[in-house]
Amino acid sequence: MTKLLCCALLLLDISIKWTTQETFPPKYLHYDPETSRQLMCDQCPPGTALKQHCTTSWKTVCVACPDYHYTDRWHNNVECLYCSPVCKELQYVKQECNATHNRVCECEEGRYLDLEFCIKHRPCPPGFGVLHPGTPERNTVCKRCPDGFFSNETSYKAPCRRHTNCSDFGLHLTQRGNATHDNICSGNSESNKRCGIDVTLCEEAFFRFAVPTKITPNWLSVLVENLPGNKINAESIEKIKRRHSSQEQTFQLLKLWKHENKDQDMVKKIIQDIGLCESNVQRHMGQANLTSEQLHRLMDSLPGKKVPMEDIERATKTCTSSEQILKLLSLWRIRNGDQDSLKGLMEALKHLKTYHFPKTVTQSLKKTIRFLHSFTMYRLYQKLFIEMVEKQVQSVKISCL
Ligand SMILES: *[C@@H]1O[C@H](CO)[C@@H](O)[C@H](O)[C@H]1NC(C)=O
Ligand SMILES: *[C@@H]1O[C@H](CO)[C@@H](O)[C@H](O)[C@H]1NC(C)=O
Ligand SMILES: *[C@@H]1O[C@H](CO)[C@@H](O)[C@H](O)[C@H]1NC(C)=O
Ligand SMILES: *[C@@H]1O[C@H](CO)[C@@H](O)[C@H](O)[C@H]1NC(C)=O
Ligand SMILES: *[C@@H]1O[C@H](CO)[C@@H](O)[C@H](O)[C@H]1NC(C)=O
């Protein structure tokens, strides 16, 4: 049955081709009164109109369409068609009329034809994305953003966008997005978060001056009292006290203070300087590129309590090569009652000679140390922050000792 149908269609197809080929130019039947015969006359081509039917001795005679007239197909009419008059309001001429084409009008950019009028495209509101942008013939098609997508703007073009995947940036999701809002991620320095460097070497270098040599029980409250700018609330201070060893508390507090006052000019400068310091340290450290074995040796060379094996292993897995030493130094510092990481690193460097570390490694460590030294000195004696705070803090330090 289907075979038969198939054959029949094939035959039909062939016959159509055969007949159309056979009848070009297209013909029409005409009764010739002189001979009283039915003749097959040629039709007239586009751009022309019929002037005289064919006879047994003459072919069909066609003439060009007059101005403002057209015919766009083969035919046997004695008249051409009149071109559409001037375009409507808010339309422009897309194609002028000529002998073979009618005039084409189109709505101006940003509008579409609805019955007789050019209507403005509709924009898609927040929560909706553009599925098909408007055309001169059709209005914009909007689509409600599905789960996992959002649009926070009123737009003629913007489709729904996928919510930012916070974990792709090493950040935490703090507020889940919906159709009108993107996910909100938190955590500032992405790689540091994943690797988990809490207080960086630069922050330590910057804030170390505030750590007293002997810590008294009320030290933190005294420091809070004397810091300029927005005060840190009691709840946050309690949290820091609960979570961190007494030595680490100073860094945590200053870090929080920096965050709470980040809009103040003085602090903006500090943040900028610390950022600059960090990119410098990353650059120097990036050249070290220690193997796992070298990292273990380096940690072995540090004085005081050792960082556990599993912590070293974890750091090599979660941190990039330039962050590994920094992470391990911060672990060592915390483990050793807030020793100065920089001094620790210098101490370790002395021992590295016996391990025959490659020159590139020791050199990049030395560069880092040298840089941090200059950074610390510069900060300590020249910056606004010091001028404003140190007097207060120093006097407090002395009175506490
Ligand atoms: C008439 O206009 C059409 C469309 O703009 C074009 O393709 C065609 O070449 C024109 N014909 C002549 C004779 O100008
Ligand atoms: C829309 O969201 C993007 C990405 O979260 C953001 O960059 C942009 O500023 C937002 N626009 C408006 C108008 O809220
Ligand atoms: C975010 O990306 C991670 C992989 O990079 C994937 O495992 C996770 O499912 C994504 N989360 C969402 C909400 O798409
Ligand atoms: C989408 O989230 C924003 C902020 O998170 C909120 O203001 C808004 O009401 C939410 N919209 C809906 C429809 O839940
Ligand atoms: C670090 O060294 C390893 C092999 O020793 C190499 O594969 C890797 O590309 C190096 N990385 C950088 C950042 O130099």
Side-chain angles (χ1 to χ4, degrees):
M1 176 67 194
T2 43
K3 251 187 202 164
L4 261 180
L5 186 67
C6 194
C7 277
L9 286 175
L10 201 67
L11 281 174
L12 190 67
D13 189 40
I14 289 168
S15 71
I16 286 169
K17 274 187 189 145
W18 184 75
T19 45
T20 48
Q21 254 170 13
E22 189 67 355
T23 60
F24 190 87
K27 315 272 190 253
Y28 65 97
L29 266 179
H30 171 63
Y31 175 76
D32 182 28
E34 246 170 71
T35 55
S36 307
R37 278 171 56 183
Q38 290 277 7
L39 299 178
M40 288 293 279
C41 294
D42 285 353
Q43 293 189 359
C44 288
T48 64
L50 179 68
K51 190 172 180 210
Q52 269 175 18
H53 295 291
C54 69
T55 64
T56 45
S57 42
W58 295 100
K59 286 194 154 202
T60 312
V61 180
C62 305
V63 288
C65 290
D67 283 354
Y68 311 114
H69 288 74
Y70 75 100
T71 50
D72 57 4
R73 63 196 66 178
W74 289 81
H75 70 108
N76 55 325
N77 294 320
V78 291
E79 276 181 44
C80 294
L81 302 167
Y82 190 62
C83 288
S84 302
V86 287
C87 293
K88 296 185 185 64
E89 206 184 344
L90 301 173
Q91 285 188 330
Y92 73 103
V93 180
K94 193 181 177 206
Q95 250 169 34
E96 244 328 333
C97 152
N98 64 22
T100 55
H101 289 76
N102 193 5
R103 171 183 285 125
V104 179
C105 298
E106 201 170 84
C107 289
E108 287 172 355
E109 173 80 23
R111 292 174 182 271
Y112 72 103
L113 192 66
D114 187 19
L115 300 174
E116 288 290 290
F117 302 101
C118 286
I119 312 277
K120 265 194 175 162
H121 289 145
R122 121 186 89 214
C124 300
F128 292 80
V130 175
L131 190 62
H132 300 295
T135 66
E137 295 82 35
R138 197 176 59 177
N139 202 353
T140 321
V141 181
C142 303
K143 178 187 173 216
R144 181 179 285 283
C145 294
D147 274 1
F149 290 81
F150 78 104
S151 167
N152 61 353
E153 54 188 321
T154 299
S155 170
Y156 296 94
K157 297 237 164 68
C160 296
R161 288 189 289 162
R162 196 179 279 281
H163 285 146
T164 301
N165 183 331
C166 296
S167 65
D168 279 353
F169 296 93
L171 302 175
H172 294 296
L173 176 67
T174 43
Q175 195 171 4
R176 190 166 291 286
N178 54 28
T180 53
H181 288 73
D182 193 7
N183 282 340
I184 297 176
C185 309
S186 75
N188 37 6
S189 176
E190 50 272 23
S191 49
N192 280 354
K193 266 292 177 254
R194 199 179 304 144
C195 173
I197 300 176
D198 196 0
V199 172
T200 67
L201 205 50
C202 290
E203 285 169 324
E204 190 194 332
F206 201 105
F207 293 140
R208 173 152 303 280
F209 78 94
V211 180
T213 37
K214 234 191 231 162
I215 290 181
T216 54
N218 69 339
W219 160 247
L220 219 54
S221 334
V222 175
L223 184 60
V224 170
E225 283 295 296
N226 288 284
L227 282 170
N230 297 331
K231 291 280 171 256
I232 295 156
N233 65 40
E235 199 184 324
S236 306
I237 296 170
E238 279 313 305
K239 231 186 234 167
I240 289 176
K241 279 188 180 163
R242 267 203 314 278
R243 287 197 190 155
H244 299 281
S245 69
S246 59
Q247 324 266 347
E248 181 74 3
Q249 288 169 8
T250 311
F251 290 142
Q252 293 295 338
L253 183 85
L254 286 168
K255 207 176 151 101
L256 187 62
W257 169 81
K258 182 180 83 169
H259 184 260
E260 299 280 297
N261 288 278
K262 61 175 182 290
D263 297 327
Q264 303 206 3
D265 285 345
M266 167 190 65
V267 179
K268 270 189 204 153
K269 215 165 194 164
I270 295 176
I271 291 173
Q272 205 177 25
D273 285 341
I274 290 180
L276 213 71
C277 168
E278 257 149 35
S279 59
N280 260 299
V281 169
Q282 290 263 343
R283 192 159 49 84
H284 293 316
M285 284 294 194
Q287 290 159 5
N289 196 14
L290 273 72
T291 63
S292 173
E293 191 193 316
Q294 289 168 335
L295 264 181
H296 280 98
R297 293 244 164 101
L298 178 68
M299 293 314 288
D300 246 9
S301 316
L302 284 162
K305 288 188 202 141
K306 301 287 172 226
V307 173
M309 202 70 149
E310 60 266 27
D311 284 358
I312 303 181
E313 289 303 323
R314 196 176 314 122
T316 58
K317 284 201 192 84
T318 56
C319 303
T320 66
S321 65
S322 61
E323 290 168 343
Q324 285 167 1
I325 304 176
L326 303 175
K327 170 70 177 173
L328 290 173
L329 277 174
S330 102
L331 288 175
W332 172 82
R333 174 174 58 76
I334 292 165
R335 207 171 174 75
N336 283 275
D338 208 20
Q339 285 273 350
D340 188 335
S341 308
L342 201 51
K343 284 194 186 136
L345 191 57
M346 285 160 72
E347 197 59 31
L349 202 56
K350 280 187 209 156
H351 300 280
L352 291 189
K353 283 192 193 111
T354 53
Y355 291 126
H356 305 294
F357 266 45
K359 218 172 179 159
T360 49
V361 175
T362 48
Q363 264 171 1
S364 63
L365 293 181
K366 277 182 193 159
K367 269 190 207 160
T368 308
I369 292 170
R370 218 176 300 138
F371 171 76
L372 280 168
H373 261 307
S374 64
F375 177 79
T376 323
M377 300 301 275
Y378 183 62
R379 294 309 133 214
L380 273 172
Y381 299 113
Q382 291 186 11
K383 278 297 166 179
L384 254 170
F385 176 70
I386 308 306
E387 283 162 22
M388 287 182 66
V389 187
E390 201 179 31
K391 269 186 223 131
Q392 291 166 304
V393 176
Q394 282 299 348
S395 65
V396 171
K397 255 196 215 180
I398 290 158
S399 69
C400 288
L401 289 177

